[in-house]
Amino acid sequence: MTLHLHDTLTGEPVALQPVDPDGPIRFYSCGPTVYDYAHIGNFRAFLAADVLRRVLEFNGHDVRHVMNITDVGHMTDDASADGGGEDKMQVAARRLLDAKKSGSLPAGADVDPDNPQAIADFYADAFLEDARMLGLKVADDVKNDPSCMPRPTTWIESMVKMVQGLIDSGHAYVAEDGVVYFDVQSFADYGALSGNRLEALRSGEGGRVDMATQSIKRHPADFMLWKPDTSHLMRWPSPWGEGYPGWHLECSVMARELLGDEIDLHSGGEDNIFPHHECELAQTRCTTGCSHFARIWVHVRHLMVDGGKMSKSAGTFFTVRDILEKGATPAALRLELIRTHYRVNANFTMQGLRDCGRMVDRWCRLAERLESGVCGAFDGAGPIERSMDRFAAAVNDDLNLAGAIGVLNEAAAAHGGSDDGTAQQAARELAALRRMDSVLGVLDRNSAPETSGDGGADIDAMVQARNDARARKDWAEADRLRDTLKEMGVEIMDAGGETTWRRIVQ
C-alpha cells in the first residue's frame, strides 16, 4: 500500500513518492536536547516518528532514519528565532551543582560546570537507555552507526561552511554587532510552513521575533546563523569570531550531510514548526537551490496529562523513569503514547496507562498460546491473518493507530473460543500477530521493572502460598492471599501454567 500523510507545508494529505525510488526513504527527526531527562511529552513525538518508520518498513521500504541529539546551541527562549536566553547546557550545569549540594545528584552525573560535554554525554546516555526501553529503532541503529543520531558538536566545520555559502549567495549578512543573520526577505517562501508571513512578523506579532535587535537587522524576522561570543561556555573559531552556531543551523547541516539535499520526510513536535523548521527549511533550500527540503513535513501535537499541561508543581510532570517506577511496563507506556492520533492532542492518564497494560497483556497471552501451537479452528485463514489488509489500510491512512488497534482487538477476540485449530494455523496466526506488532512494537516489552524474583522475596512467598492453596482447592485462602497482595499494590497473573506478579500502576 501507499502511505498517505498530512503534510504541514501544504495542509493536505500527500501520498509518499520517494525522492529516490531505488534507494532508502530519507527520514530526519528532531530529537532531544540533552540537558535533562526527556519527559513523556518529548517521547510522544519521538515514538510517533518511530511508528512512521515502522509503517514504512511494514510496507517493504528500506529506511535511512536520522535523529539528532542536540548538545549545543539550543537556548532557553525557543520562541525567538535567534534562540534567546542562555544555552540549556549551562542551565543543566547549574542544576546539577544545586543537586550535588542537596545530595540529590543522579548517579554518574558530571557536575563540572566547565565541562558541558560531559553533562550532555550523561543525559544522552540516559535518553538512549529510555529510548531503547520504549523500542525506538533509531536508538538501536546508533550502536552500529553513530551517524544515525548525530551530535551537533561534531559538525561545527560543516556549519561554518554553510554559513559562508549563504553569505556568498546573498542570503545572509554580518550585522553591526558581528552576528551573522539569515536574510528572510531573500527567500520568497519564508513563512509558508508555519503561516507566519513577513508582514505579521515585521511588527513582532506573537512575540516571535527579538524586538531588541530590530535596529541592526534588515528585517525583524532575520534569524541568527552564527554569534561571536567569547564568554559563551561552548564556542568554536570561525571567520566571524569565536562563538557558536544558531540552533536552526544544526539540523540543516546534519540532514543534508547525512541524507542529501532533498529528503522524503521530516518530523518533529508541533512546537518545532516555528521558528525552528521554518528557519531550517529556508536556509537549506537557499543552500541547495532545490524546490523542496522535505517532501512531507509531519508534526505531532502536544501531550496533556489529566487534561492539562504537564506541571511539576501539580505533580503531573513525568519522565519515562517516573512512569516505569510506578510499575508500568515499557509496552504499556509505549501504547499509551502512540494510540492517540498524532495530529490530535493526547491526554495521558494513569487509568489509560492501566488500560493499555491490560490490552498488551491480552495480546501477549494470545501470542503465548499461538507459540505453543494452540488456537481456534477456522476455515481457511484465521481472524488475525484475515485482518491484515484492514490493519495495513489503517496504518497507511495517516498513521491511524486507533483504527489499527481496533482491528487487532477484534481479531484477537475471535480466538476466545475452542482450541481445536492445527499447529499450522497457530503458526500462521502468530506470524500475522508479529507482523502487526512490527508496527506497534509492544509484545517484547511487556516486562515491568520489578517482577518475580527481583527483590520481592516476601511477595514471592505469598504468591507460592496462594498457589499451594489453589492446588489443595482451598479457594477461600487463595482468594484471601490474592486480595492481600492487591492491597499491597501487587497484581498476580496466571498464564500458561505459571504465575507471575508485578506492581500495579499507581
Side-chain angles (χ1 to χ4, degrees):
M1 290 190 178
T2 299
L3 174 62
H4 288 75
L5 293 165
H6 181 88
D7 176 28
T8 304
L9 182 62
T10 62
E12 298 177 350
V14 176
L16 177 65
Q17 301 292 334
V19 173
D20 180 3
D22 299 321
I25 300 295
R26 306 171 188 180
F27 180 18
Y28 189 90
S29 299
C30 279
T33 299
V34 285
Y35 74 106
D36 203 348
Y37 296 109
H39 56 68
I40 58 174
N42 300 139
F43 267 99
R44 186 188 187 216
F46 305 149
L47 284 167
D50 183 68
V51 168
L52 173 50
R53 172 193 172 155
R54 286 168 176 265
V55 171
L56 291 166
E57 292 175 341
F58 178 89
N59 288 346
H61 293 288
D62 291 328
V63 182
R64 169 70 167 152
H65 186 194
V66 173
M67 175 185 282
N68 65 295
I69 294 183
T70 297
D71 58 358
V72 64
H74 197 166
M75 314 300 278
T76 52
D77 183 7
D78 287 348
S80 168
D82 291 345
E86 60 181 321
D87 193 307
K88 290 186 175 182
M89 299 313 304
Q90 292 175 289
V91 175
R94 284 202 309 273
R95 186 182 64 250
L96 289 174
L97 283 172
D98 291 341
K100 182 179 181 181
K101 293 174 184 177
S102 65
S104 58
L105 185 68
D110 191 316
V111 298
D112 183 355
D114 296 322
N115 188 4
Q117 197 59 58
I119 296 171
D121 289 345
F122 171 77
Y123 284 118
D125 289 343
F127 169 77
L128 287 170
E129 182 179 341
D130 292 346
R132 288 170 184 147
M133 185 81 71
L134 293 184
L136 267 72
K137 300 187 78 171
V138 71
D140 283 327
D141 292 343
V142 76
K143 295 176 182 178
N144 298 317
D145 184 359
S147 70
C148 289
M149 301 192 85
R151 310 278 184 97
T153 48
T154 64
W155 293 89
I156 299 297
E157 183 177 346
S158 294
M159 294 181 205
V160 170
K161 289 181 180 178
M162 180 175 275
V163 173
Q164 186 62 63
L166 288 167
I167 293 173
D168 293 344
S169 62
H171 291 292
Y173 60 94
V174 182
E176 294 176 9
D177 59 356
V179 176
V180 183
Y181 290 103
F182 181 88
D183 184 354
V184 296
Q185 295 175 102
S186 73
F187 181 59
D189 289 339
Y190 190 83
L193 183 67
S194 64
N196 290 306
R197 293 299 184 178
L198 294 182
E199 294 75 16
L201 291 171
R202 182 175 296 280
S203 62
E205 184 178 280
R208 294 183 179 274
V209 298
D210 187 352
M211 305 300 289
T213 59
Q214 283 203 54
S215 61
I216 58 174
K217 293 182 179 182
R218 295 176 182 174
H219 188 282
D222 291 351
F223 57 89
M224 185 187 85
L225 296 172
W226 188 273
K227 184 173 184 178
D229 184 352
T230 57
S231 67
H232 200 266
L233 190 58
M234 302 179 80
R235 58 187 184 272
W236 295 264
S238 83
W240 317 284
E242 193 175 59
Y244 61 94
W247 66 287
H248 315 300
L249 183 67
E250 302 167 2
C251 289
S252 286
V253 166
M254 294 185 292
R256 186 184 179 213
E257 293 276 353
L258 295 171
L259 296 173
D261 288 351
E262 186 175 348
I263 65 177
D264 295 292
L265 297 164
H266 197 315
S267 75
E270 67 172 332
D271 54 332
N272 289 142
I273 298 174
F274 190 91
H276 184 48
H277 287 169
E278 190 73 76
C279 298
E280 193 184 337
L281 184 156
Q283 65 200 8
T284 302
R285 282 188 54 195
C286 288
T287 297
T288 66
C290 295
S291 60
H292 289 82
F293 171 25
R295 290 280 184 92
I296 301 177
W297 292 83
V298 177
H299 290 99
V300 185
R301 297 207 64 185
H302 292 301
L303 180 74
M304 316 296 281
V305 177
D306 293 333
K309 291 184 178 181
M310 283 192 290
S311 167
K312 290 184 178 180
S313 61
T316 58
F317 183 95
F318 301 115
T319 65
V320 169
R321 294 159 189 237
D322 293 333
I323 299 300
L324 297 185
E325 286 174 2
K326 293 177 179 291
T329 65
L333 178 55
R334 179 183 170 95
L335 188 61
E336 171 70 355
L337 293 177
I338 67 174
R339 64 174 177 164
T340 301
H341 196 273
Y342 75 91
R343 288 197 295 115
V344 176
N345 282 340
N347 185 35
F348 177 91
T349 67
M350 290 301 168
Q351 184 58 53
L353 185 65
R354 287 188 284 269
D355 292 342
C356 285
R358 285 191 286 270
M359 199 183 311
V360 175
D361 283 343
R362 290 195 296 271
W363 298 340
C364 287
R365 287 195 296 271
L366 175 57
E368 290 171 358
R369 287 182 63 213
L370 297 173
E371 285 170 353
S372 66
V374 175
C375 74
F378 306 101
D379 293 331
I384 303 177
E385 189 177 4
R386 289 198 306 269
S387 300
M388 188 60 68
D389 286 348
R390 293 170 57 212
F391 181 92
V395 298
N396 279 283
D397 180 15
D398 200 23
L399 308 182
N400 179 7
L401 265 288
I405 290 168
V407 169
L408 174 54
N409 280 332
E410 179 183 325
H415 275 276
S418 69
D419 295 336
D420 299 331
T422 66
Q424 290 81 2
Q425 285 178 315
R428 291 176 63 178
E429 284 292 89
L430 178 62
L433 176 59
R434 285 286 179 185
R435 179 155 164 71
M436 290 182 181
D437 187 59
S438 69
V439 173
L440 301 176
V442 296
L443 290 182
D444 296 328
R445 292 177 178 80
N446 200 35
S447 297
E450 183 178 18
T451 57
S452 305
D454 184 16
D458 291 341
I459 295 174
D460 284 339
M462 292 181 68
V463 170
Q464 185 58 52
R466 171 186 171 271
N467 287 346
D468 291 343
R470 282 163 55 90
R472 63 177 183 268
K473 299 185 178 181
D474 186 352
W475 309 119
E477 177 64 6
D479 290 345
R480 185 190 70 78
L481 287 166
R482 175 186 281 275
D483 291 343
T484 300
L485 286 164
K486 186 174 182 180
E487 290 174 2
M488 295 168 59
V490 174
E491 179 183 14
I492 293 177
M493 295 165 288
D494 298 308
E498 296 183 359
T499 301
T500 58
W501 62 266
R502 68 183 179 190
R503 299 291 184 187
I504 298 172
V505 178
Q506 301 298 313

